[in-house]
Amino acid sequence: WTARAVVLALPVNVLPSIAFVPERPASVTRVEGASTGASIKLVVQARGAEPGAIAGGRGAGLDLLVADSRLADGTTMLVGFGPREELPAEVTDAVVARAVAALMPSAEVVRWAWHDWTTDPFALGTWAATRPGDRAALHPPPPRPERGVVPAGSDVASEATGWVEGALASGEQ
């Protein structure tokens, strides 16, 4: 593709796979490969959990579990996050039930879904995350074109990095 200018709103994980001619701008080089994200996001339909409940801590594969909303059938939609390395290679019903029960013992898993972003050949990892103490790694200065390229998106947002709110703020900038 050829363009005079581009807003490059892509995950930082995929930036190394893009060729720039004549060469990549420094603003792109600075953030590519900076993400260390290796987390999972699990969506669970459960009985016995009240919407609005939040549980955090060292679970059995999850560190945060949020009871998001009541579904039409009376069950509750839970959203969980945790480090991928703490789950076995094969995620099964038993693994999910154990992870949910560690943080919300009253929740009974009805069904669940997830996607392993760490092995996805197109995403090349999860949402952006940095090493502890390296918060500035993904925070660029306010966007301005550099050779016609402006990085944008939640991965490089100056606020709410990794969240949709960060993507929106980055787009507004």
Side-chain angles (χ1 to χ4, degrees), residues 54-60 62-65 81 98-105:
I54 299 174
R58 300 302 302 160
L62 295 175
D63 294 341
L64 176 65
L65 191 57
F81 299 91
R98 189 170 42 255
V100 169
L103 294 179
M104 285 188 185

Side-chain angles (χ1 to χ4, degrees), residues 26 32 36 38 43 53-54 56 59 68 77-78 87 92-93 97 112-113 118 132 136 156 164 166:
E32 70 183 12
T36 61
V43 180
I54 299 174
D68 185 60
M77 181 65 64
L78 308 177
L87 291 176
T92 64
D93 291 347
W112 58 276
T118 62
V156 296
V164 69

Side-chain angles (χ1 to χ4, degrees), residues 56-76:
R58 300 302 302 160
L62 295 175
D63 294 341
L64 176 65
L65 191 57
V66 178
D68 185 60
S69 58
R70 181 81 66 208
L71 301 174
D73 65 358
T75 59
T76 300

Side-chain angles (χ1 to χ4, degrees), residues 63-161:
D63 294 341
L64 176 65
L65 191 57
V66 178
D68 185 60
S69 58
R70 181 81 66 208
L71 301 174
D73 65 358
T75 59
T76 300
M77 181 65 64
L78 308 177
V79 181
F81 299 91
R84 176 62 182 106
E85 66 193 25
E86 291 186 13
L87 291 176
E90 184 180 355
V91 179
T92 64
D93 291 347
V95 168
V96 172
R98 189 170 42 255
V100 169
L103 294 179
M104 285 188 185
S106 65
E108 175 193 348
V109 175
V110 174
R111 73 183 73 152
W112 58 276
W114 80 303
H115 182 77
D116 188 354
W117 297 105
T118 62
T119 60
D120 184 299
F122 299 105
L124 303 175
T126 64
W127 56 91
T130 57
R131 290 169 186 79
D134 194 13
R135 187 182 183 306
L138 294 171
H139 293 276
R144 61 180 184 41
E146 180 184 344
R147 290 193 0 256
V149 177
V150 180
S154 73
D155 286 359
V156 296
S158 58
E159 58 188 68
T161 305

